[in-house]
Amino acid sequence: MMKHILFLILGCYLLPIRSEAQKAYFVDGYHGGIYGHYPLWVTQFMVDNLAKHPEWKLGLEIEPETWDSVRVQSPLDYANFSRIALDKRIEFTNPTYAQPYAYNISGESLIRQFEYGIKRLHEHFPGLTFSTYAVEEPCFTSSLPQLLKQFGFKYAVLKSPNTCWGGYTRAYGGQLVNWIGPEGSSILTVPRYKSEALEEKSTWQTTAWNNSTTFLQSSYASGINDPVGMCYQDAGWKNGPWLGYGDNIKNQSTYVTWKEYFEEISAGKTDDNWRFSQEDVLVNLMWGSQALQRIGQQVRNAENMIVRSEKISAMANIDHQYKPTEDMFFDAWRTLMMAQHHDSWIVPYNQLNTKQNWIQAIKGWTDHTHAIAGQIADQAINGFSTVTKTGASGLGFIRVYNSIASARSEVISLPFPDSLASDNIDIYNSKGELVLSTMRLQDTVPVVTFQATVPAMGYATYQIRKSKTKQKNGKHVIFDYNGNCVLENDQYKMVLDKSKGGIIKTLIAKHVGDKDFAGQDKIYDMGEISGFFYEDQQFYSSKQTPVSIVVLEDNGLVTKVEVRGTIATHPFSQIITLEAGQNRIDFDLTIDWKNNVGIGEYKQGSNWTDNRRAYTDDRYKLKVMFLNSLGKTKLFKNAPFDVCESILDNTFFGQWDSIKHNVILNWVDINQQDEAYGLALLSDHTTSYLHGENYPLSLTVQYSGIGLWGMDYKINGPTKMKYALIPHRGKWDDAQVASQSTYWNEPLVAMYQPAVALQDHSFVKISGSGYEVTTMKVVDGDILLRLFNAEGDASPKMIALGFPATAVTEVLLNGDQVQDLSLTKIGLEQTFTVQLPRYGIKTLRITK
């Protein structure tokens, strides 16, 4: 009897104290897919349990491609599920093709994840609609409201209560908020409540993961009468209804779908407008590990290649009716999207199958994307030579293609046929003007280098002629009496200190009033590479040993040197490149490790689930530091379709419950408080950066040690990475840092062609500055053009088309038509006007 009394007392104690007006709701469901975790029995398991438990409801976040496998391998289960897929008790809440984190890939990639994922789900379940975006992992980014609304979503959820290993969103607000995107879009959202704390003695959950008494009572106390918890179980868990069923559902909770909660339980509106910042996405992965570094580089390269190939193929379609197949493009995008899967980044060592883990799969996937995209670009470019004209000298032509919607003048280098290997050739533009050029041998291959000026979203053609005289180019690299290297061109004068590891002693920007951006400090230096080697219990720095400096190129167009030194006895080399007319300074860093060494705050043991972690505080990781002369600065960083002004005093943290947003997607920019001068840092992969008072802007280079799930993230080869610096006047947008980053990621494409028309042409021009073309591709014979206002104002911009067009229609991301735009003929061009807020996107369908 006493046991029964005790049970009743404990049972009552576990129930939250609430009024009749206060109720508890819960969204249950499944998360995963065929590449992560989706055993085939799960399909029928869902069907059976929904029939067995009529009160149960499901939110589904299943990779769309999963249903391909289920249909083939479990056809009866597939048929049974298909019959209930449109039932109101089931809601598909994340249709992205491969469930990306969203904050670590390009905005255009994120669009394709939704586009291709929705298309695949519609193939399996015709009539399926999407109302709510909800996920189990922190797959969020600040610009989602704009994208979700254009895909037809009405609601969003910023909770991820049961899988916060890699991070979580900032706690804010009550039952509902209007999530406001950077350009002003608004979507009704259930946030992670301000009262929704991180679970005690856990490093992967919030209190909403199981509708705990603590969660419900804190919600009621905060004025939330209808709190809702959530858990999307891993597909493969055999729990069935997560909180129980029948009369035994925990805390008398009611199962709902998210759509049902928004439309039938909540007020359906709120006055709380939350301008959600990218710094409200609090995420932390194994930044600096070679695994993540290589994944980030492979994904970035594939992203750049496929988008550029799409644009060039669209130009070729306009020019000579080149028709790339949609199957080829989907083939390339599919493998890229799989490489962007969140599991790629958080569990890279997990086995996908018996043959390979995520790391190995990503290498194969991105190589495939690169190969297909390269094949498309080659086919498109080769077609331009169908309209030919042989050069008077018989030496041929160079055609240079620009995939950016603004004119560019950059240095080009490309291999030449052996028959043209001569110092005595000249390069002429289409106007017959001589341009500065030089010829050299690189590994016995003749390479020509010249200054190319190319119109917006188009091409320029250059003719090769024999010359009786060799062009003379002055030398721009000298060594002073201490052996320090002095590099100088029309943009910069740099001094590299030989005795201190090749650090940048002087960085005078001639185009910025001869300002010296290199800082002077007794502790740090510009270009210093430093980190804590915990096995030796000390910091090592590249400036502790002298270096040798070798001149690689010095021809008036390219000034390039290689710095060779050691850090903690491990050899490193860094190639520094200045180009004529280019205000970007390029760095190519290689560290040739002798063996695996531990780098980080301390040696993490089997206690990797502890709140404190060795891999979080980047000050202890190996990093390259950029001590500068700007003094106290504010920081800006880009995100997919956004730029965020940081409010952080610093980026340093050491615990899971104290995460700060320290992610560099493409670039960060520090700016003097008076906005007179700034310094931008560009990275060739998504990783972390460092910044704080009395601590210089730095870029993470290497972590080595125990990480998530106890995996040892070892050094297993050379570390290779590229980055760039851009000293400038004014703020990041005045200096067009976003455009400069796009130029870096989508370089000009040059090709030697024996015979081609000697002409220049622009297919798309945009008046003013600030807009990017994130894609231009062929869709059913039309040209799809997507614009992003990256750094411009909200005034109308005129778009000029260098090809005949009969109609221009604005469409949403889901294809719905918005409006027809008026076309006006001005000279030989068709023009129309577009207006976009800062960070807004607009998609245009152009009928030829």
Side-chain angles (χ1 to χ4, degrees), residues 542-561:
S542 58
K543 67 182 182 182
Q544 292 172 329
T545 56
V547 296
S548 61
I549 303 174
V550 180
V551 179
L552 302 181
E553 282 188 69
D554 187 13
N555 52 38
L557 288 168
V558 177
T559 305
K560 181 183 295 187
V561 300

Side-chain angles (χ1 to χ4, degrees), residues 617-635:
D617 194 333
D618 291 345
R619 288 175 294 182
Y620 294 88
K621 297 176 183 177
L622 198 69
K623 65 273 175 192
V624 56
M625 311 178 80
F626 308 104
L627 182 69
N628 56 77
S629 61
L630 298 180
K632 189 174 182 180
T633 57
K634 46 189 174 182
L635 183 141

